[in-house]
Amino acid sequence: MARVPRQNRSKATVDAIIQAALMVLAKEGPNAATTRQIADLAGIGVGSLYEYFDNKEAIFEAAAKRFVDDTVAMIQPLAPRLVRMEIRDLIHELLYNFRDFLEKNDQLYLRCARHAFTIDMAVYQEPINRVLMDLFMQYLLYHPELTKLKNIPAAIYCYINGSVYTVVKHLSEENSIISFEELVTALADMLHSYTTTELVK
Amino acid sequence: MARVPRQNRSKATVDAIIQAALMVLAKEGPNAATTRQIADLAGIGVGSLYEYFDNKEAIFEAAAKRFVDDTVAMIQPLAPRLVRMEIRDLIHELLYNFRDFLEKNDQLYLRCARHAFTIDMAVYQEPINRVLMDLFMQYLLYHPELTKLKNIPAAIYCYINGSVYTVVKHLSEENSIISFEELVTALADMLHSYTTTELVK
Amino acid sequence: MARVPRQNRSKATVDAIIQAALMVLAKEGPNAATTRQIADLAGIGVGSLYEYFDNKEAIFEAAAKRFVDDTVAMIQPLAPRLVRMEIRDLIHELLYNFRDFLEKNDQLYLRCARHAFTIDMAVYQEPINRVLMDLFMQYLLYHPELTKLKNIPAAIYCYINGSVYTVVKHLSEENSIISFEELVTALADMLHSYTTTELVK
Amino acid sequence: MARVPRQNRSKATVDAIIQAALMVLAKEGPNAATTRQIADLAGIGVGSLYEYFDNKEAIFEAAAKRFVDDTVAMIQPLAPRLVRMEIRDLIHELLYNFRDFLEKNDQLYLRCARHAFTIDMAVYQEPINRVLMDLFMQYLLYHPELTKLKNIPAAIYCYINGSVYTVVKHLSEENSIISFEELVTALADMLHSYTTTELVK
DNA sequence: GATGAATGAGCTTTCATTCAT
DNA sequence: TATGAATGAAAGCTCATTCAT
């Protein structure tokens, strides 16, 4: 039976397991990843895995949660600055930060994200989408003229989902036909043109 | 060693295997799908799988190819009509056809597509992206004024990848915050506004 | 149910199967050899194998019999000449003929023989041992002074078994510490010295 | 991945596996022997086999090595006594010891040896041949007059290979035409006559 | 609490054999 | 008679999970 660890020692072990799970996930993908690999990388015995998690899936859930929390934690502090920017600059700033986040630690998170777009894992994407949605909502407060846009929720829904997927896919491509800068500019321009023309009749 | 089926009987068996593979893929996802399930669903013995395919992976490749080919075959005949339409109507027409395609046969293809966004499977998405890219390129021939748009390849790259993913994700959601019609309209408007404002300086 | 073939066509097919079995046996060994390989090499369908043989083992038995019969047929005609020779010349002549027999057809029979020393296959070696025993018995008729040797059956038993195995083993070795000529001379000398000293008290 | 057993418990398991493998090998031969049989006989689960060995072949290799090591260990301590004996007594002593070794444990090793003469397994016979060769070489030191024999390596090569095979074959025969005593005497006499007559010219 | 040896269900794959054509 | 597609038992092997230490 998995227990909630309260001591520091335990917390450190849980952390090591999650970190190891992320690394194994990044390297092998979710199918090939084994509990033995995770335990070895975490520097503990396989049995200990089950002291902290009910089963393998619970470990991956925790790893996914970690990924999502870190992503949210990366975005949230940017908000105060972003909401005051011109829309195209916002997108630039946001996506370059997103890229840096994905590529740090030898692309640890990028390689995890590659496997994350199975729609089954959409539950985990939810918080990321929400924080981005919040960002855009706050943006509206600072730019009230935009509230006249048609069907804002639908537009945001499309833009967020499409952009996140497109960025991850692009970064995962060995030889893309376009550069990251071109990608970002295109995404920025698309949102900019939308916000300047699609007003409610 | 897999052999090339020559007789009609054999061809039917290969078809049954691919169909069964798609159904198992749709129901279980690529990890949980087993050869036994495929054989059972195809109504044949496990051994027969290996008369036509070298291994399990080859079966899934064939299934993925079938999905992609069918998708392309669904889009291609629409092209002549679509390229003559106004851009928002094009998107509407295209995406409603796409939805019907994904939802037929008890959402067979939609449920397969849910698993297809693992970036590892991007190889299989390639032909779909290409046929859509071709569609937009042809569209330019019929609407020459659009050739003045900034960085067309980048815009198309973002739009196609983002839209396809967003549509599949939306259709997979049980209770979405927006309706399909709203989604389509938002995507259509976004492209429309981009084409009317983002001209080369 | 396997049938005894009486027509020429059938006999040719049986022959082709046996030949194919020997070749597959030589190349793959008895474990890795499959019915499909045999059928392919024989130029017939797998099903046809079972028109002439009850099962795979029966094919191998027939192949073993063929090998044995050919070996006996190789030795028998040599006998009239060999029995008149001096004992060392007999061994030389016999073993060089044996070597040629084993190495013809790209070592077909040598490679089969390598697998034949499993003592389980001793049944098949029997006729070979017998023809060699007959040879030595005939030899005694032409050299009556040898009948005074101690325990002739035991000596022949040891000499035949030991020599045949040693020759096949030696020919199978890539880099032997001794040459074939040295091997033959040693075996010849050993028998010669035995026949000149070990007389019944 | 096989791990090196460190604990006593593990070492006992490895031993049980090797012992079981020898028994299965003895009963079924190398082809028919399955991993399940070995595991059952060893009283462990199939999975445990793979805790200690990379694959089935590695188990058989270890079993073969055990057989060879034990054979060598049986012969080696005899050497000091044998090298001082008259040659015929040496052969008697050696072969009777060999027989006892092969027949102990319900003929465990004899039944393994029956399968070992596939020339492919000659690699494993090597150490046995070498220890016997060493024995004869030492014998020469104690009987310097024998160094005048013609081509000693060739003679030893033939004698060792031939004798070992002949003994194993004879012991495996249900109803042999000669007794073990006759066999041993014949082999002893053969070597004795060779050593007394075949001197370098 | 931590371990890792042990487990065995269940996977993919092979292949001798059958039988409708 | 000849075929080869179909079969399915059985093989080798993996790995999440357990539990005695």
Side-chain angles (χ1 to χ4, degrees):
Chain A
M1 194 67 44
R3 44 165 63 221
V4 181
R6 265 174 244 148
Q7 306 171 10
N8 279 346
R9 173 100 177 288
S10 300
K11 199 149 200 176
T13 305
V14 167
D15 253 43
I17 292 171
I18 291 176
Q19 189 65 20
L22 283 169
M23 291 171 78
V24 173
L25 234 35
K27 205 200 291 182
E28 314 278 351
N31 313 339
T34 71
T35 49
R36 190 119 83 169
Q37 281 176 304
I38 296 171
D40 285 351
L41 221 89
I44 61 169
V46 262
S48 305
L49 252 33
Y50 292 85
E51 292 286 331
Y52 299 104
F53 296 94
D54 279 334
N55 50 39
K56 192 191 173 191
E57 211 193 301
I59 298 174
F60 286 161
E61 269 171 38
K65 190 173 177 322
R66 166 72 52 94
F67 166 69
V68 167
D69 289 351
D70 282 4
T71 308
V72 169
M74 179 270 294
I75 296 168
Q76 226 142 27
L78 300 176
R81 204 157 47 82
L82 294 177
V83 292
R84 289 177 174 83
M85 287 173 148
E86 198 265 323
I87 193 89
R88 280 175 296 197
D89 295 336
L90 181 164
I91 297 302
H92 265 84
E93 194 64 15
L94 184 59
L95 294 187
Y96 272 97
N97 271 282
F98 191 32
R99 182 181 71 166
D100 292 346
F101 171 77
L102 289 170
E103 298 208 317
K104 75 178 180 189
N105 295 330
D106 196 23
Q107 300 194 319
L108 178 67
Y109 281 148
L110 175 59
R111 278 139 74 157
C112 288
R114 290 172 61 138
H115 304 292
F117 286 99
T118 294
I119 310 291
D120 288 346
M121 304 199 82
V123 218
Y124 302 113
Q125 300 169 35
E126 243 300 282
I128 295 175
N129 282 14
R130 183 148 41 229
V131 76
L132 289 171
M133 215 163 270
D134 286 354
L135 176 65
F136 284 118
M137 289 310 184
Q138 282 184 53
Y139 191 82
L140 290 180
L141 297 180
Y142 284 81
H143 305 263
E145 72 282 8
L146 294 180
T147 52
K148 288 186 194 143
L149 283 172
K150 282 171 52 186
N151 203 345
I152 291 173
I156 292 182
Y157 178 93
C158 292
Y159 192 77
I160 288 176
N161 279 297
S163 298
V164 170
Y165 174 73
T166 304
V167 167
V168 171
K169 190 189 174 199
H170 180 269
L171 290 174
S172 301
E173 287 174 353
E174 299 277 294
N175 299 305
S176 189
I177 52 168
I178 62 169
S179 70
F180 187 70
E181 171 61 24
E182 289 177 305
L183 176 98
V184 171
T185 303
L187 285 171
D189 288 347
M190 204 159 286
L191 188 55
H192 172 255
S193 58
Y194 185 82
T195 54
T196 48
T197 57
E198 295 296 333
L199 305 175
V200 180
K201 286 160 275 185
Chain B
M1 197 70 40
R3 11 186 88 210
V4 181
R6 262 165 254 154
Q7 306 176 9
N8 280 345
R9 175 114 169 276
S10 303
K11 204 149 197 174
T13 305
V14 168
D15 254 43
I17 293 171
I18 292 177
Q19 189 67 18
L22 283 168
M23 294 171 76
V24 173
L25 234 35
K27 203 199 292 179
E28 313 278 353
N31 312 339
T34 71
T35 50
R36 196 108 60 173
Q37 280 175 305
I38 297 172
D40 286 352
L41 223 95
I44 60 170
V46 262
S48 303
L49 254 33
Y50 293 86
E51 290 280 332
Y52 302 107
F53 296 94
D54 279 334
N55 50 43
K56 191 194 176 190
E57 210 194 302
I59 298 173
F60 286 160
E61 268 172 38
K65 191 176 178 319
R66 166 73 54 95
F67 167 69
V68 167
D69 288 350
D70 282 4
T71 308
V72 169
M74 178 271 292
I75 297 168
Q76 224 142 26
L78 301 175
R81 205 159 47 82
L82 295 177
V83 292
R84 289 177 174 83
M85 290 172 146
E86 198 264 323
I87 193 92
R88 280 174 296 198
D89 296 335
L90 183 164
I91 295 301
H92 265 84
E93 192 66 14
L94 185 59
L95 294 187
Y96 272 97
N97 271 282
F98 191 33
R99 182 181 70 166
D100 293 345
F101 171 77
L102 289 171
E103 297 209 315
K104 73 177 181 187
N105 295 328
D106 194 25
Q107 299 194 320
L108 178 66
Y109 282 150
L110 174 59
R111 280 139 74 159
C112 286
R114 292 171 60 137
H115 303 292
F117 287 100
T118 294
I119 310 290
D120 288 346
M121 303 197 86
V123 218
Y124 301 113
Q125 300 171 33
E126 242 300 282
I128 296 174
N129 281 15
R130 185 146 41 226
V131 75
L132 290 170
M133 213 163 269
D134 286 353
L135 176 65
F136 285 118
M137 288 310 182
Q138 281 183 54
Y139 191 82
L140 292 181
L141 297 180
Y142 285 81
H143 306 263
E145 71 281 8
L146 295 179
T147 53
K148 287 189 195 141
L149 284 171
K150 281 172 53 186
N151 205 344
I152 292 174
I156 292 182
Y157 178 93
C158 293
Y159 192 76
I160 289 176
N161 280 297
S163 300
V164 169
Y165 175 73
T166 305
V167 166
V168 171
K169 190 188 174 201
H170 179 268
L171 291 174
S172 300
E173 286 173 354
E174 298 277 294
N175 300 305
S176 189
I177 53 170
I178 61 170
S179 70
F180 187 69
E181 171 60 24
E182 289 177 305
L183 175 97
V184 171
T185 301
L187 284 172
D189 289 348
M190 202 160 287
L191 189 55
H192 172 256
S193 59
Y194 185 80
T195 55
T196 47
T197 57
E198 293 297 334
L199 306 175
V200 180
K201 289 161 268 186
Chain C
M1 194 67 44
R3 45 166 60 221
V4 180
R6 266 175 242 146
Q7 305 170 12
N8 278 345
R9 173 98 177 288
S10 301
K11 199 148 199 177
T13 306
V14 168
D15 253 43
I17 293 171
I18 291 177
Q19 189 65 21
L22 283 168
M23 292 171 77
V24 172
L25 233 35
K27 204 199 291 181
E28 312 278 353
N31 312 338
T34 70
T35 50
R36 190 119 84 170
Q37 281 176 304
I38 296 171
D40 286 352
L41 221 88
I44 60 170
V46 263
S48 305
L49 252 34
Y50 292 84
E51 291 286 331
Y52 300 105
F53 295 94
D54 279 335
N55 50 41
K56 191 191 174 192
E57 210 194 303
I59 298 173
F60 285 162
E61 269 172 37
K65 190 174 178 320
R66 166 72 53 94
F67 166 69
V68 167
D69 289 351
D70 282 3
T71 308
V72 169
M74 179 271 294
I75 296 168
Q76 226 143 27
L78 299 176
R81 207 158 47 80
L82 294 177
V83 292
R84 290 177 172 84
M85 287 173 149
E86 198 265 323
I87 194 90
R88 280 174 296 196
D89 295 336
L90 183 163
I91 296 303
H92 265 85
E93 194 65 15
L94 185 59
L95 295 188
Y96 272 97
N97 271 283
F98 192 34
R99 182 181 71 166
D100 292 346
F101 171 78
L102 290 170
E103 297 208 316
K104 75 178 179 186
N105 295 329
D106 196 24
Q107 299 194 319
L108 178 67
Y109 281 147
L110 175 59
R111 279 138 75 158
C112 287
R114 290 172 62 139
H115 304 291
F117 286 99
T118 295
I119 311 290
D120 288 345
M121 305 200 82
V123 219
Y124 302 113
Q125 298 169 34
E126 242 301 282
I128 296 175
N129 281 13
R130 184 147 43 228
V131 75
L132 289 171
M133 214 163 268
D134 286 353
L135 176 66
F136 283 119
M137 288 311 183
Q138 281 183 52
Y139 191 84
L140 291 180
L141 296 180
Y142 284 81
H143 305 262
E145 73 282 6
L146 295 180
T147 53
K148 289 187 193 139
L149 284 171
K150 280 170 53 184
N151 204 344
I152 291 173
I156 292 182
Y157 179 93
C158 293
Y159 192 76
I160 288 175
N161 279 298
S163 299
V164 169
Y165 174 72
T166 305
V167 167
V168 171
K169 189 189 174 199
H170 179 268
L171 291 174
S172 300
E173 287 173 353
E174 300 277 293
N175 300 305
S176 187
I177 53 170
I178 62 170
S179 69
F180 187 70
E181 171 60 24
E182 289 176 306
L183 176 98
V184 172
T185 301
L187 285 172
D189 288 347
M190 203 159 287
L191 188 54
H192 173 256
S193 59
Y194 186 80
T195 56
T196 49
T197 59
E198 294 297 332
L199 305 176
V200 181
K201 287 162 272 185
Chain D
M1 195 72 39
R3 11 186 88 209
V4 181
R6 261 166 253 155
Q7 305 176 10
N8 280 345
R9 175 118 170 273
S10 303
K11 204 151 196 174
T13 304
V14 167
D15 254 43
I17 292 171
I18 291 178
Q19 190 66 20
L22 283 168
M23 293 171 77
V24 172
L25 235 33
K27 203 199 291 179
E28 314 278 352
N31 312 337
T34 71
T35 50
R36 197 106 60 171
Q37 280 176 306
I38 296 172
D40 285 353
L41 223 97
I44 59 169
V46 262
S48 303
L49 254 32
Y50 294 88
E51 288 280 332
Y52 302 106
F53 296 94
D54 278 332
N55 49 43
K56 190 193 175 191
E57 211 193 301
I59 298 174
F60 285 161
E61 266 171 40
K65 190 174 177 322
R66 167 74 53 95
F67 166 69
V68 166
D69 288 351
D70 282 3
T71 307
V72 169
M74 180 268 296
I75 297 168
Q76 224 142 28
L78 300 176
R81 205 159 46 83
L82 294 177
V83 292
R84 288 177 174 83
M85 288 173 147
E86 198 265 322
I87 194 92
R88 278 173 297 196
D89 296 335
L90 182 164
I91 296 302
H92 265 84
E93 195 64 15
L94 184 60
L95 295 188
Y96 272 97
N97 271 283
F98 191 33
R99 183 181 70 166
D100 292 346
F101 172 78
L102 290 171
E103 298 208 317
K104 74 178 180 187
N105 295 329
D106 195 25
Q107 299 193 322
L108 178 67
Y109 282 149
L110 175 59
R111 279 139 73 159
C112 287
R114 290 171 62 137
H115 304 291
F117 287 99
T118 295
I119 311 290
D120 287 346
M121 305 199 81
V123 217
Y124 301 114
Q125 301 169 34
E126 242 299 283
I128 296 175
N129 281 15
R130 184 148 42 227
V131 76
L132 290 170
M133 216 164 265
D134 285 353
L135 176 66
F136 284 118
M137 289 309 184
Q138 281 184 52
Y139 191 82
L140 292 180
L141 296 180
Y142 284 81
H143 305 263
E145 72 280 8
L146 295 180
T147 53
K148 287 186 195 143
L149 285 171
K150 282 169 53 185
N151 204 345
I152 291 173
I156 292 181
Y157 178 94
C158 292
Y159 192 77
I160 288 176
N161 279 297
S163 300
V164 170
Y165 174 73
T166 305
V167 166
V168 172
K169 191 191 173 197
H170 179 268
L171 291 174
S172 301
E173 286 174 353
E174 300 277 293
N175 299 304
S176 187
I177 53 169
I178 62 170
S179 70
F180 187 70
E181 171 61 23
E182 289 177 305
L183 176 98
V184 171
T185 302
L187 285 171
D189 288 347
M190 204 160 285
L191 189 54
H192 172 256
S193 58
Y194 186 81
T195 55
T196 48
T197 59
E198 294 297 332
L199 305 175
V200 180
K201 286 160 272 185

